[in-house]
Amino acid sequence: MKENLLKFLVKFLLASLPLFTFWFWLGADWYSVFYEKLVFVLFKVFQKDSSNFPVPTSFFNNLVPFTVLMIITPGIHYIRKIYLILFGYLIILAEHLTVALIFYLLDFVFKVGEQTFSLILTPLSILSGTFPFLLWLILASEEIKSWFWKK
C-alpha cells in the first residue's frame, strides 16, 4: 500500500495532539508511578536499596511518538498492531531502565565528574529521542517497505 508522505505527516501531527495532551495530563504521572514501583521491586529482588536510582522522567516522553507512529501506520492488522505496541512498550521500558542504570553507575558507582556526566548525557538524550522512531522502523518494517517497493 502506497502512503503519501505529506498525508502521513499530517496524520502524525493530528494523532499526536490528543496523545501528548493525555500524556501530560495523566499518562506521565501514571508511567512514573509504575516505573518507580517496578524499580523498587527489582531492587528488592536483588536485595539492594533503590533510593538513589534515578527516575529519568524527561526520557519517558518517547512513548508517545512510538504509539502515534504505530497507530497511524497503515497495513498492520489491529490485533497485530496492539501486540506490536505492547511489545514496543516493553522494549522502551527496558531502554528507560538502561538509561537510568547508566546514570546510576556514573553518579553513584564510578562517581564521574559533572563534565564527564554531561558528555555522556548528550548522546544518551539523542539516542533516547530517536529510539521510538528506530523501534517503529524495525517493528513496522514490512509495512514501511511496502510504501516504497512494489511486491
Short mmCIF file of all heavy atoms in Angstrom, two decimals, residues 8 12 64-74 132-133 136:
data_model
loop_
_atom_site.label_atom_id
_atom_site.label_comp_id
_atom_site.label_asym_id
_atom_site.label_seq_id
_atom_site.Cartn_x
_atom_site.Cartn_y
_atom_site.Cartn_z
N PHE A 8 0.85 11.26 5.65
CA PHE A 8 1.34 10.56 6.84
C PHE A 8 1.77 11.55 7.92
O PHE A 8 1.46 11.38 9.10
CB PHE A 8 2.50 9.63 6.47
CG PHE A 8 2.94 8.75 7.60
CD1 PHE A 8 2.23 7.61 7.93
CD2 PHE A 8 4.07 9.07 8.34
CE1 PHE A 8 2.63 6.79 8.97
CE2 PHE A 8 4.48 8.27 9.39
CZ PHE A 8 3.76 7.12 9.70
N PHE A 12 0.26 12.09 11.58
CA PHE A 12 1.14 12.03 12.75
C PHE A 12 0.87 13.23 13.67
O PHE A 12 0.72 13.07 14.88
CB PHE A 12 2.60 11.99 12.32
CG PHE A 12 3.56 11.94 13.48
CD1 PHE A 12 3.79 10.75 14.15
CD2 PHE A 12 4.24 13.08 13.89
CE1 PHE A 12 4.67 10.70 15.22
CE2 PHE A 12 5.12 13.04 14.96
CZ PHE A 12 5.34 11.84 15.62
N VAL A 64 5.14 8.38 23.51
CA VAL A 64 4.07 8.98 22.71
C VAL A 64 4.35 8.89 21.21
O VAL A 64 3.49 8.41 20.45
CB VAL A 64 3.78 10.42 23.16
CG1 VAL A 64 2.70 11.06 22.28
CG2 VAL A 64 3.35 10.45 24.61
N PRO A 65 5.51 9.34 20.72
CA PRO A 65 5.71 9.24 19.26
C PRO A 65 5.69 7.80 18.77
O PRO A 65 5.19 7.52 17.68
CB PRO A 65 7.06 9.91 19.01
CG PRO A 65 7.67 10.15 20.32
CD PRO A 65 6.63 10.05 21.36
N PHE A 66 6.20 6.87 19.57
CA PHE A 66 6.15 5.47 19.17
C PHE A 66 4.70 5.01 19.02
O PHE A 66 4.33 4.39 18.03
CB PHE A 66 6.88 4.57 20.19
CG PHE A 66 6.64 3.12 19.94
CD1 PHE A 66 7.28 2.48 18.88
CD2 PHE A 66 5.77 2.39 20.72
CE1 PHE A 66 7.03 1.14 18.62
CE2 PHE A 66 5.52 1.06 20.47
CZ PHE A 66 6.16 0.42 19.42
N THR A 67 3.87 5.35 20.01
CA THR A 67 2.46 4.96 19.97
C THR A 67 1.77 5.56 18.74
O THR A 67 1.05 4.86 18.02
CB THR A 67 1.73 5.41 21.25
OG1 THR A 67 2.43 4.89 22.38
CG2 THR A 67 0.30 4.95 21.28
N VAL A 68 1.99 6.83 18.50
CA VAL A 68 1.36 7.50 17.36
C VAL A 68 1.81 6.86 16.06
O VAL A 68 0.99 6.57 15.18
CB VAL A 68 1.67 9.02 17.36
CG1 VAL A 68 1.19 9.68 16.09
CG2 VAL A 68 1.06 9.68 18.58
N LEU A 69 3.10 6.63 15.91
CA LEU A 69 3.61 6.02 14.67
C LEU A 69 2.98 4.65 14.43
O LEU A 69 2.59 4.33 13.31
CB LEU A 69 5.13 5.91 14.72
CG LEU A 69 5.89 7.23 14.55
CD1 LEU A 69 7.35 7.06 14.93
CD2 LEU A 69 5.75 7.75 13.14
N MET A 70 2.87 3.85 15.48
CA MET A 70 2.28 2.52 15.32
C MET A 70 0.79 2.62 14.98
O MET A 70 0.29 1.86 14.15
CB MET A 70 2.50 1.68 16.57
CG MET A 70 3.94 1.30 16.82
SD MET A 70 4.73 0.41 15.46
CE MET A 70 3.81 -1.11 15.45
N ILE A 71 0.08 3.54 15.60
CA ILE A 71 -1.36 3.67 15.36
C ILE A 71 -1.65 4.10 13.93
O ILE A 71 -2.55 3.57 13.29
CB ILE A 71 -1.99 4.66 16.36
CG1 ILE A 71 -2.05 4.04 17.76
CG2 ILE A 71 -3.38 5.09 15.92
CD1 ILE A 71 -2.45 5.00 18.86
N ILE A 72 -0.88 5.04 13.41
CA ILE A 72 -1.19 5.59 12.08
C ILE A 72 -0.56 4.82 10.93
O ILE A 72 -0.84 5.11 9.77
CB ILE A 72 -0.81 7.09 11.97
CG1 ILE A 72 0.71 7.28 12.05
CG2 ILE A 72 -1.54 7.91 13.02
CD1 ILE A 72 1.17 8.67 11.68
N THR A 73 0.29 3.84 11.23
CA THR A 73 0.91 3.06 10.15
C THR A 73 -0.14 2.17 9.49
O THR A 73 -0.71 1.30 10.14
CB THR A 73 2.07 2.19 10.70
OG1 THR A 73 3.05 3.04 11.28
CG2 THR A 73 2.71 1.38 9.59
N PRO A 74 -0.39 2.41 8.21
CA PRO A 74 -1.40 1.59 7.53
C PRO A 74 -0.86 0.19 7.22
O PRO A 74 0.34 -0.02 7.12
CB PRO A 74 -1.66 2.37 6.24
CG PRO A 74 -0.42 3.14 5.99
CD PRO A 74 0.18 3.43 7.35
N PRO A 132 12.23 5.79 19.70
CA PRO A 132 10.89 5.35 19.25
C PRO A 132 10.78 5.26 17.73
O PRO A 132 10.09 4.38 17.20
CB PRO A 132 9.94 6.41 19.80
CG PRO A 132 10.78 7.58 20.14
CD PRO A 132 12.16 7.04 20.44
N PHE A 133 11.49 6.11 17.02
CA PHE A 133 11.46 6.07 15.56
C PHE A 133 12.21 4.86 15.03
O PHE A 133 11.74 4.19 14.09
CB PHE A 133 12.03 7.38 14.99
CG PHE A 133 11.27 8.58 15.44
CD1 PHE A 133 11.74 9.37 16.48
CD2 PHE A 133 10.05 8.91 14.86
CE1 PHE A 133 11.02 10.47 16.92
CE2 PHE A 133 9.32 10.01 15.30
CZ PHE A 133 9.81 10.79 16.34
N TRP A 136 10.05 1.84 15.75
CA TRP A 136 8.95 1.80 14.78
C TRP A 136 9.44 1.27 13.44
O TRP A 136 8.78 0.43 12.81
CB TRP A 136 8.36 3.20 14.62
CG TRP A 136 7.41 3.36 13.48
CD1 TRP A 136 6.16 2.81 13.36
CD2 TRP A 136 7.63 4.12 12.29
NE1 TRP A 136 5.59 3.20 12.16
CE2 TRP A 136 6.48 4.00 11.49
CE3 TRP A 136 8.69 4.90 11.83
CZ2 TRP A 136 6.35 4.62 10.26
CZ3 TRP A 136 8.57 5.52 10.61
CH2 TRP A 136 7.41 5.38 9.84
#
